[in-house]
Amino acid sequence: MAVTVTAFEVEELRKKLQETSLSDNEKKEIEEKMATRQKELEQLRSAKKSPGSITNPYSKSLYMRAAIKDVLSEDQGESLIGETIVVGGWVKTGRTADKGAFTFLEINDGSCPTSLQVLVKAEVENPDRIKQTGVCVVVEGELKAAPAESKQKTELHVTKMLHVGTCEAAAYPIAKSKLSLEFLREKIHLRVRTNTIAAIQRIRNCLAFATHRFFQESGFQYVHTPIITASDCEGAGEMFQITTMLAAAEEAGKKPPPTEEYIAGLKAAASAAGSKVADIKKASKEGSDAEKEKAKQDLKPALDELMAAKKAVEEAEAASKNVGGLPRTATGGIDYSSDFFGQPVNMTVSGQLQAEIYACAMTSVYTFGPTFRAENSHTSRHLAEFWMIEPEIAFADLFDVMQCAEVSQHR
């Protein structure tokens, strides 16, 4: 990754130098930066590879596994010929040869587009367990030079099979043949194993890395802006609303709303309960000693009955105002007081407002995160979700902002 990104930056700086509109100071700055990046690139490329130097830092306690990208980088693994290494990945293709004496596997771990050819003898592992597309393996073996007619310069001769995650060929949906994007939409858990989706992921990774690198090297601070917000930043499009009321509304919608006659009956019962409480209180003041004692004992149950009757009236009146199972205000609008946030909230369309707030204290900030638009359009130019870069700079004018945009495109 570091070699790829640095080489890309050197090439982009070289292209930038060819522009005729650059001033002498700008050319000097670019030349100095390109020299620094070129030096970094040469150091990365000259570093001698060894099994220890390419071992994944977070796979040392279990397998001491190396990424296939690191095995094949720069010289396709020729500098590691004769070394014993451990790699893991998923079988892209598999076939047996010499009447089943050994199996050829093309395995890929996602670290690069290129797969590593692996040769497994029958005495090391049963070919029927490992040759199906989709099988997960971790293998140890010696890296050797591939035959002259092979596309790759090296191949791994397996001496130990450290792990096998079997896969049923009949049930595995990712075939060797080309698959349509429409088909892959239904195989979300496996589609990243295809070349197309994996390539898109690598491009997104490089773009995100380059974005953060540019802004960090330019003195910006990265701000996490909220995804859930009560503000409509741009006011130019539809927003996705978030609520916890729909589940209760669905249940409420199954029940018919209370009728006026039913509510009138509840009010009559509440009025009768109120009269009963009034009579008991009167008896406690004007009655005989026995009547006062009895009234004292009857008062609490009567008050409880009155409160329950009043609550029943309130609930029935509120339910009668529900439209589609949603509680309503006196004016007919949705009553959000019972919702999770107590007010309408949506998924953000922009982090600009929060970025402006931070820019007024941090000077130079940027956001880089998901935004959501609910426009009912199904064209390639309208996305329900996309990631947006939004820088905000204090103490700057339009020219400074334009410079920032132009430089970011050439880095």
Side-chain angles (χ1 to χ4, degrees):
M1 176 66 179
V3 172
T4 304
V5 172
T6 306
F8 175 79
E9 290 180 339
V10 170
E11 185 60 29
E12 289 299 307
L13 289 169
R14 185 175 289 110
K15 292 178 181 178
K16 179 68 175 175
L17 271 178
Q18 296 174 359
E19 296 182 6
T20 57
S21 59
L22 295 175
S23 65
D24 293 339
N25 289 336
E26 287 175 329
K27 286 183 179 179
K28 183 178 179 181
E29 182 181 349
I30 294 174
E31 287 172 350
E32 291 175 352
K33 192 170 187 64
M34 188 171 71
T36 301
R37 289 285 187 264
Q38 186 66 45
K39 186 176 180 180
E40 291 176 3
L41 181 60
E42 291 173 358
Q43 290 174 346
L44 289 169
R45 286 176 169 171
S46 63
K48 181 173 174 57
K49 289 196 296 184
S50 66
S53 68
I54 64 172
T55 299
N56 188 289
Y58 305 110
S59 187
K60 291 183 177 180
S61 87
L62 184 58
Y63 292 125
M64 295 291 288
R65 179 187 61 84
I68 292 176
K69 172 192 68 175
D70 295 327
V71 174
L72 300 178
S73 64
E74 303 304 315
D75 60 359
Q76 296 189 39
E78 287 185 309
S79 60
L80 289 171
I81 288 177
E83 300 284 359
T84 298
I85 61 173
V86 176
V87 296
W90 294 268
V91 175
K92 302 283 280 187
T93 62
R95 61 182 176 85
T96 57
D98 198 14
K99 298 181 179 180
F102 50 87
T103 306
F104 284 108
L105 304 177
E106 295 283 338
I107 67 172
N108 188 281
D109 62 1
S111 60
C112 65
T114 308
S115 298
L116 177 65
Q117 181 165 285
V118 172
L119 186 149
V120 186
K121 293 182 178 180
E123 54 264 30
V124 175
E125 186 59 58
N126 181 359
D128 293 334
R129 294 188 70 224
I130 59 174
K131 68 180 181 179
Q132 291 85 5
T133 300
V135 171
C136 177
V137 297
V138 179
V139 297
E140 179 181 324
E142 181 183 350
L143 197 66
K144 296 185 177 182
E149 66 275 9
S150 177
K151 295 181 180 179
Q152 295 189 352
K153 294 182 179 180
T154 56
E155 62 184 18
L156 186 65
H157 289 229
V158 175
T159 55
K160 291 182 184 178
M161 185 68 65
L162 303 179
H163 172 79
V164 176
T166 57
C167 178
E168 294 184 18
Y172 189 69
I174 307 300
K176 301 175 186 178
S177 57
K178 185 177 180 179
L179 302 171
S180 68
L181 295 178
E182 289 75 14
F183 175 80
L184 294 178
R185 283 180 180 273
E186 301 176 358
K187 310 298 176 185
I188 296 176
H189 62 303
L190 292 172
R191 66 184 182 184
V192 75
R193 294 188 186 179
T194 64
N195 293 337
T196 300
I197 304 300
I200 292 172
Q201 163 54 26
R202 293 186 190 97
I203 293 171
R204 287 179 63 97
N205 176 63
C206 287
L207 291 174
F209 179 84
T211 297
H212 285 294
R213 183 169 184 172
F214 166 75
F215 283 110
Q216 292 296 321
E217 291 181 352
S218 301
F220 285 73
Q221 294 196 47
Y222 179 37
V223 177
H224 289 171
T225 55
I227 293 177
I228 300 175
T229 177
S231 63
D232 183 358
C233 178
E234 298 183 349
E238 297 296 324
M239 303 177 72
F240 287 105
Q241 188 171 1
I242 297 176
T243 179
T244 59
M245 300 170 66
L246 294 183
E250 187 173 354
E251 289 298 319
K254 295 177 182 178
K255 302 176 183 178
T259 62
E260 293 183 2
E261 292 77 9
Y262 177 74
I263 294 175
L266 291 178
K267 288 182 177 179
S271 178
S275 299
K276 182 179 178 181
V277 169
D279 292 340
I280 292 174
K281 287 182 176 180
K282 183 178 180 181
S284 67
K285 294 178 180 179
E286 302 175 358
S288 62
D289 292 343
E291 289 175 338
K292 288 180 179 180
E293 184 63 29
K294 185 176 184 304
K296 185 178 180 181
Q297 295 176 358
D298 294 342
L299 182 59
K300 187 178 185 308
L303 287 172
D304 292 341
E305 182 181 349
L306 175 60
M307 296 303 294
K310 287 184 175 180
K311 183 178 180 181
V313 172
E314 291 175 359
E315 291 178 348
E317 288 180 335
S320 68
K321 297 177 182 178
N322 286 1
V323 178
L326 293 173
R328 300 285 171 166
T329 62
T331 58
I334 297 176
D335 183 3
Y336 286 97
S337 61
S338 61
D339 204 357
F340 184 89
F341 294 101
Q343 62 179 320
V345 296
N346 306 285
M347 300 181 77
T348 184
V349 297
S350 169
Q352 180 181 348
L353 290 179
Q354 290 81 7
E356 289 173 349
I357 292 170
Y358 275 80
C360 290
M362 301 291 183
T363 302
S364 298
V365 301
Y366 72 102
T367 73
F368 183 34
T371 54
F372 307 87
R373 306 291 172 88
E375 280 82 6
N376 188 21
S377 176
H378 301 285
T379 70
S380 60
R381 297 186 179 184
H382 290 81
L383 297 174
E385 175 186 351
F386 58 94
W387 281 57
M388 185 157 59
I389 305 166
E390 297 176 281
E392 293 291 342
I393 314 171
F395 314 115
D397 60 9
L398 181 59
F399 178 79
D400 295 317
V401 175
M402 291 170 60
Q403 280 290 97
C404 177
E406 290 176 5
V407 173
S408 69
Q409 296 300 312
H410 293 289
R411 288 284 288 273

